[in-house]
Amino acid sequence: MRESQAADARRYHHGDLRRALIDAASRVLEAEGPSALSLRAVAREAGVSPAAPYHHFKDKGELLEAVAHEGWDLLDAALAKAKAEASSPAQAISELGVAYVCFARNNPALYRVMYDTARDREDLPDQMKIEGDGAYCKVRDTLIEAGADPKDTLDIELATTAAWCSGHGLAEMAGFKQFAHLKEACGGEVEFFRAVFQHMGLAPRPPGD
Amino acid sequence: MRESQAADARRYHHGDLRRALIDAASRVLEAEGPSALSLRAVAREAGVSPAAPYHHFKDKGELLEAVAHEGWDLLDAALAKAKAEASSPAQAISELGVAYVCFARNNPALYRVMYDTARDREDLPDQMKIEGDGAYCKVRDTLIEAGADPKDTLDIELATTAAWCSGHGLAEMAGFKQFAHLKEACGGEVEFFRAVFQHMGLAPRPPGD
DNA sequence: TGTACATCAGTGAACGCGCGTTCACTGATGTAC
DNA sequence: TGTACATCAGTGAACGCGCGTTCACTGATGTAC
């Protein structure tokens, strides 16, 4: 049937416990928050003994990293989708921001784990690095498409960093109740995001404004 | 000597254990990070038994809130100082941002506790509320002084929110190693902050730029 | 001023808990002949 | 195809740990007379 069995662990007892553990971790995370994300809780959720995960992850940290890694992939996919659907580079910048903040709002605990594990390593993951086509590069390339001078690399990097920080800041703030009246005044959460991005110079003013 | 003794608990055994516990918490926080901040560790650091804090705080959460409260006061003071020293409203906006990010960089664990306890309550503390003269109001008033239309309250609030989010985002990002080369290229960490704020529209361009 | 009493800040031992991790094991799966 | 063996994913009991919190207590301080 299959030529390779080295890369295919799926036929063992459980099927694919590694995968199942990451999924279980996501469920624990969204149901009970980051503080409830223990190895034992994940094993429990996956229906295996507390020792089982050690056949797939060196320790708890390695499981968390796997969860975070998946999170960055999901974020990357959300940004790619937003960029593909935008009708112009200027609009794409704004839509990347909205997609970013919506991702964080829809997966708050996962988003937290992503940055917490990065902070522990003092390093953002390779997935969003400057070389390659990670999330960071999508933002940078969009800024260039929208007219930034690609030769002024320092300026481009600063602009990309500014955009990323703005998105991250809004993502973290958006959950506080203080902003409920602003969301209402703007006519919805996404509209609030867009309005804030306008003030950050990251969104075109709507026509006739 | 003293008429009131109700408001003055300072003459009891320890002197002022409440104060001492908050100070001990700050020391634990900066030495070992937020995850090490347990009630027992704080009591240990203060040199008292694990039960002693319960005479001053209902539970661990109340101690954390007191630590966070103090943090917001310190942040407020840092912003007030930055604003007072600025030579123009436009410069004040930029200097508020720099002061904010520097505060977070100099007190990373405290900064984290401030936002974590706020998130648990789903509410930022009263200290930075819209009414009064908390940190939020300092930013808002400075924006008005710099020329924003005070009658367009929605716009002002959005602009203040945008500024706050930008600062928070940069504060959280500034610790990552990825940005080391940008700090170097800008000639220093503070210069990096200023450059990013320029891209967020929060800092005046230096003359001749 | 001196004494009896009330107050209450701090002690130290104990509780039950969930955690990360280790260990010897078992039993299903895959492989060689 | 059938059998013997090796592999290794998962078990379940146990470990030591630090945690938040409670409890009966003790002893210093403040107060009333």
Side-chain angles (χ1 to χ4, degrees), chain A residues 72 75 79 93-105 111-112 115 139 158-175 192-194 196-202, chain B residues 161-173 196 199-200:
Chain A
W72 290 103
L75 173 59
L79 296 189
I93 294 169
S94 168
E95 292 311 304
L96 281 175
V98 171
Y100 184 95
V101 180
C102 285
F103 173 85
R105 289 288 288 149
Y111 186 76
R112 189 146 304 282
Y115 274 94
V139 175
L158 287 171
T160 310
T161 302
W164 198 281
C165 291
S166 302
H168 176 68
L170 181 54
E172 291 234 318
M173 291 293 184
F192 166 63
F193 298 156
R194 267 187 244 276
V196 174
F197 281 135
Q198 271 173 30
H199 279 278
M200 293 164 168
L202 292 176
Chain B
T161 302
W164 198 280
C165 291
S166 302
H168 176 68
L170 181 53
E172 292 235 317
M173 290 293 184
V196 175
H199 279 278
M200 293 165 168

Side-chain angles (χ1 to χ4, degrees), chain B residues 74-161:
Chain B
L74 291 172
L75 173 58
D76 197 37
L79 296 189
K81 181 160 179 285
K83 184 168 179 182
E85 288 175 356
S87 59
S88 73
Q91 211 212 356
I93 294 169
S94 169
E95 292 312 303
L96 280 176
V98 171
Y100 184 95
V101 180
C102 286
F103 173 84
R105 289 288 288 149
N106 293 332
N107 310 274
L110 176 59
Y111 186 76
R112 189 148 306 284
V113 168
M114 285 159 61
Y115 273 95
D116 283 352
T117 59
R119 223 180 339 260
D120 288 348
R121 289 201 320 264
E122 299 187 324
D123 237 337
L124 292 162
D126 289 351
Q127 286 150 295
M128 60 161 292
K129 264 213 177 126
I130 293 176
E131 314 300 336
D133 71 338
Y136 179 95
C137 301
K138 286 195 181 57
V139 176
R140 185 198 53 199
D141 294 347
T142 307
L143 286 170
I144 293 173
E145 289 160 24
D149 177 6
K151 287 199 219 78
D152 191 345
T153 55
L154 176 59
D155 196 66
I156 290 278
E157 286 204 43
L158 287 170
T160 310
T161 302

Side-chain angles (χ1 to χ4, degrees), chain A:
Chain A
M1 332 246 139
R2 301 168 200 246
E3 310 259 352
S4 106
Q5 82 281 14
D8 184 359
R10 236 152 295 153
R11 279 166 300 167
Y12 286 126
H13 306 66
H14 182 282
D16 188 354
L17 184 54
R18 188 190 147 86
R19 177 75 259 148
L21 286 168
I22 295 175
D23 292 343
S26 302
R27 266 175 278 135
V28 170
L29 218 38
E30 293 309 326
E32 312 190 51
S35 68
L37 192 67
S38 66
L39 245 195
R40 295 182 91 105
V42 172
R44 225 178 290 133
E45 172 71 28
V48 296
S49 78
Y54 286 89
H55 288 276
H56 301 274
F57 303 97
K58 183 174 119 273
D59 55 18
K60 188 194 176 185
E62 208 168 275
L63 170 59
L64 289 195
E65 295 229 339
V67 171
H69 189 97
E70 179 126 317
W72 290 103
D73 280 345
L74 291 172
L75 173 59
D76 197 37
L79 296 189
K81 183 160 178 285
K83 182 168 180 179
E85 289 175 355
S87 58
S88 74
Q91 210 211 359
I93 294 169
S94 168
E95 292 311 304
L96 281 175
V98 171
Y100 184 95
V101 180
C102 285
F103 173 85
R105 289 288 288 149
N106 293 332
N107 309 275
L110 176 59
Y111 186 76
R112 189 146 304 282
V113 169
M114 287 159 61
Y115 274 94
D116 283 351
T117 60
R119 223 181 335 259
D120 288 347
R121 289 200 322 265
E122 297 187 327
D123 236 339
L124 290 163
D126 289 351
Q127 286 150 294
M128 61 160 293
K129 265 216 176 122
I130 291 172
E131 314 298 335
D133 70 337
Y136 179 95
C137 302
K138 286 195 181 61
V139 175
R140 184 197 55 199
D141 294 347
T142 307
L143 286 170
I144 293 173
E145 289 161 24
D149 177 7
K151 286 198 220 77
D152 190 345
T153 54
L154 177 58
D155 196 66
I156 290 278
E157 287 204 45
L158 287 171
T160 310
T161 302
W164 198 281
C165 291
S166 302
H168 176 68
L170 181 54
E172 291 234 318
M173 291 293 184
F176 289 118
K177 285 203 199 122
Q178 263 93 350
F179 300 110
H181 75 283
L182 280 178
K183 292 179 196 165
E184 209 181 318
C186 292
E189 194 167 50
V190 170
E191 289 73 16
F192 166 63
F193 298 156
R194 267 187 244 276
V196 174
F197 281 135
Q198 271 173 30
H199 279 278
M200 293 164 168
L202 292 176
R205 294 259 157 191
D209 199 37

